[in-house]
Amino acid sequence: AFSYVLTNDIDCSETSNWDGGKGFDPLGIFTGEYFDGRNHTILNLFINRSDYEAVALFSEIGPQSSVKNTTLKGGSMSHALGQGTSSSLLASFVGSLLGELINVHSTINLSANAMSLTGGIAGEVLGGEIQKSSFRGNITVANTASILVGSIGGISGDLVNGYISDSYASSIITATASNTSNFNCGGG
């Protein structure tokens, strides 16, 4: 299996001008052994996509893979449901986590609309693990329709057969709609 390491901080300020304002293209499914940031920082990353199911640095981290020792500082990520998209995942590091996130930290601000699983670190944890991590950005989920469906969490939008340990979120979460009967908001 392949592995990657960051050898320096990366300033991604220019991503706000990429692809007609859509910004950085999420990295897709990571199935390597590990991505090690070596305690470096990715600064001012910008993603504004409506044509992806998962908006995050990685769309998915596979079950035998880990991302570790990385900080995302500043910047923003947003996901508005596009035509043909029925649901969305939004988070700073990964849409769907089946592997591990260890010692990752984010201050990115997140915004989404209806039908979303939104988490500060992971959109959903599906048998994966988050350890020694933190989120200190803000999350806003709004719906122009009458019903808001989904889940928001400071660390993860949804947790299924996985676990979160030694991690915290300190953020402002705002969710608005005229009917939130199918909506969950929590610290997880």
Side-chain angles (χ1 to χ4, degrees), residues 88-148:
S88 66
L89 300 166
L90 174 66
S92 56
F93 275 94
V94 62
S96 292
L97 177 63
L98 289 79
E100 295 178 324
L101 286 171
I102 303 167
N103 192 35
V104 298
H105 308 280
S106 174
T107 64
I108 286 182
N109 290 318
L110 305 172
S111 62
N113 68 359
M115 297 293 291
S116 68
L117 295 175
T118 301
I121 300 291
E124 62 183 0
V125 178
L126 303 173
E129 306 172 12
I130 298 175
Q131 302 172 34
K132 300 177 183 173
S133 299
S134 67
F135 177 72
R136 293 184 295 124
N138 294 319
I139 300 173
T140 303
V141 178
N143 186 3
T144 56
S146 62
I147 299 176
L148 184 63

Side-chain angles (χ1 to χ4, degrees), residues 6 8 20 24 30 44 48 53 67 69 73-74 81 96 123 132 137 140 155 158 161 164 171-172 183 185:
L6 285 182
N8 290 300
F24 184 78
F30 180 68
N44 302 315
N48 180 22
E53 179 181 338
V67 173
N69 306 320
K73 183 176 181 181
L81 287 180
S96 292
K132 300 177 183 173
T140 303
I155 298 290
D158 196 19
N161 297 323
I164 299 169
S171 60
I172 296 172
F183 187 75
C185 183

Side-chain angles (χ1 to χ4, degrees), residues 8 10 15 46 64 71 76 85 91 93 112-113 126 130 142 151:
N8 290 300
I10 300 173
T15 58
F46 177 82
Q64 303 301 317
T71 297
S76 66
T85 306
F93 275 94
N113 68 359
L126 303 173
I130 298 175
S151 296

Side-chain angles (χ1 to χ4, degrees), residues 36-100:
D36 187 348
R38 293 192 174 169
N39 298 313
H40 289 291
T41 300
I42 299 171
L43 298 159
N44 302 315
L45 182 63
F46 177 82
I47 302 176
N48 180 22
R49 299 282 173 167
S50 61
D51 51 346
Y52 285 69
E53 179 181 338
V55 171
L57 181 60
F58 297 95
S59 62
E60 182 179 305
I61 295 174
Q64 303 301 317
S65 303
S66 69
V67 173
K68 56 189 176 181
N69 306 320
T70 307
T71 297
L72 296 172
K73 183 176 181 181
S76 66
M77 295 183 185
S78 61
H79 191 293
L81 287 180
Q83 189 171 6
T85 306
S86 61
S87 65
S88 66
L89 300 166
L90 174 66
S92 56
F93 275 94
V94 62
S96 292
L97 177 63
L98 289 79
E100 295 178 324

